[in-house]
Amino acid sequence: MEETYIDSLDPEKLLQCPYDKNHQIRACRFPYHLIKCRKNHPDVANKLATCPFNARHQVPRTEISHHISSCDDKSCIEQDIVNQTRNLGQETLAESTWQCPPCDEDWDKDLWEQTSTPFVWGTANYCGKNSPASNIVMEHKSNLASGMRVPKSLPYVLPWKNNA
């Protein structure tokens, strides 16, 4: 039993393609080959079913129920399920004691109490009524180096437009 298990894991082992019996594929390339050959042989693909325990098992649709009951990979899946249920019963999940912190913010109240004018892009920004500089317009500062300026208009001719 141990020898057949090790043999089935050998990546260089040759496997026969279920879609074309002349194809002998290395085990490490077999999943990729199945996808490619399934597309190339849709008539054969319609007659085969995929094993729910191992996608490498392509079985005739008439034999799938027999294959499911006798599939070697079924025992591995069932053993994993048994181990998970055992571990789930042994683990006791601690109840979370986290509580939401109290919130002192009231955004609706802050909106009504707001005395300054809202920010609008492209308009002059005036200081608030209580500010000592209430009549001074805030200047926009340029981040460009001195001697450079932002163009005030587009170029005369756009390279992608024809003015014919």
Side-chain angles (χ1 to χ4, degrees):
M1 174 69 181
E2 184 68 28
E3 185 177 312
T4 59
Y5 180 72
I6 291 171
D7 189 40
S8 67
L9 296 178
D10 181 16
E12 298 301 318
K13 180 181 176 186
L14 291 177
L15 302 173
Q16 185 178 28
C17 173
Y19 299 103
D20 187 342
K21 302 299 180 190
N22 297 318
H23 292 173
Q24 295 291 317
I25 315 304
R26 289 182 303 150
C28 62
R29 298 292 307 157
F30 197 65
Y32 306 103
H33 179 83
L34 284 177
I35 293 169
K36 182 179 174 184
C37 235
R38 183 181 301 133
K39 290 178 184 175
N40 293 338
H41 300 283
D43 52 327
V44 179
N46 290 336
K47 296 176 185 173
L48 296 177
T50 304
C51 171
F53 305 112
N54 188 339
R56 294 178 180 203
H57 298 170
Q58 301 292 315
V59 184
R61 289 191 185 275
T62 57
E63 300 173 15
I64 190 68
S65 59
H66 177 264
H67 174 80
I68 289 173
S69 63
S70 62
C71 181
D72 292 336
D73 294 324
K74 178 181 177 181
S75 61
C76 296
I77 301 290
E78 288 174 341
Q79 188 61 40
D80 286 345
I81 292 171
V82 168
N83 290 341
Q84 286 177 352
T85 55
R86 283 183 188 161
N87 291 341
L88 186 63
Q90 292 173 356
E91 294 176 6
T92 55
L93 299 176
E95 295 271 338
S96 175
T97 58
W98 183 84
Q99 293 181 349
C100 182
C103 181
D104 297 333
E105 296 179 349
D106 186 357
W107 292 1
D108 293 328
K109 180 182 170 188
D110 292 345
L111 185 63
W112 286 107
E113 292 178 354
Q114 185 178 15
T115 57
S116 65
T117 58
F119 174 79
V120 178
W121 181 260
T123 62
N125 187 11
Y126 292 93
C127 296
K129 294 177 183 175
N130 299 335
S131 172
S134 60
N135 293 331
I136 299 173
V137 175
M138 299 296 289
E139 295 279 334
H140 291 291
K141 294 196 175 194
S142 174
N143 293 332
L144 296 174
S146 62
M148 294 189 72
R149 65 175 180 79
V150 177
K152 295 189 189 275
S153 64
L154 291 174
Y156 293 103
V157 179
L158 297 174
W160 59 86
K161 286 194 172 184
N162 292 334
N163 292 335

